[in-house]
Amino acid sequence: ASDVYKRQQHDELILQGTVEGQKVQVYTTDGINAGIYISTGGLTRITLRQNVTYLVRVGMKTYKVAM
């Protein structure tokens, strides 16, 4: 999923280019599970707390996101 990118808008993480049904795992940098989501394909929106850094795993790639 090389076309996945992150765009923060307020408290929302937006992933574009995910495959429908793809698992999206979100963890804090402390290793706390912040949620597991299933992509709807196209745009996937996830609401997260601000002022926290997350590790977002989509497929076999992991992204570091500062909200």
Side-chain angles (χ1 to χ4, degrees):
S2 59
D3 57 345
V4 172
Y5 71 92
K6 295 130 330 265
R7 184 176 70 209
Q8 296 89 19
Q9 291 183 334
H10 308 290
D11 60 351
E12 193 172 55
L13 172 68
I14 300 173
L15 302 169
Q16 182 174 352
T18 56
V19 177
E20 184 175 349
Q22 189 171 33
K23 187 189 301 185
V24 178
Q25 299 169 286
V26 182
Y27 295 91
T28 66
T29 54
D30 296 335
I32 297 170
N33 183 345
I36 297 176
Y37 306 89
I38 302 299
S39 169
T40 57
L43 286 179
T44 299
R45 298 171 189 272
I46 300 172
T47 301
L48 298 171
R49 289 186 329 149
Q50 291 187 356
N51 302 316
V52 178
T53 300
Y54 296 96
L55 299 175
V56 180
R57 183 162 181 89
V58 181
M60 299 300 290
K61 286 191 166 188
T62 302
Y63 304 89
K64 188 175 182 179
V65 180
M67 294 295 287

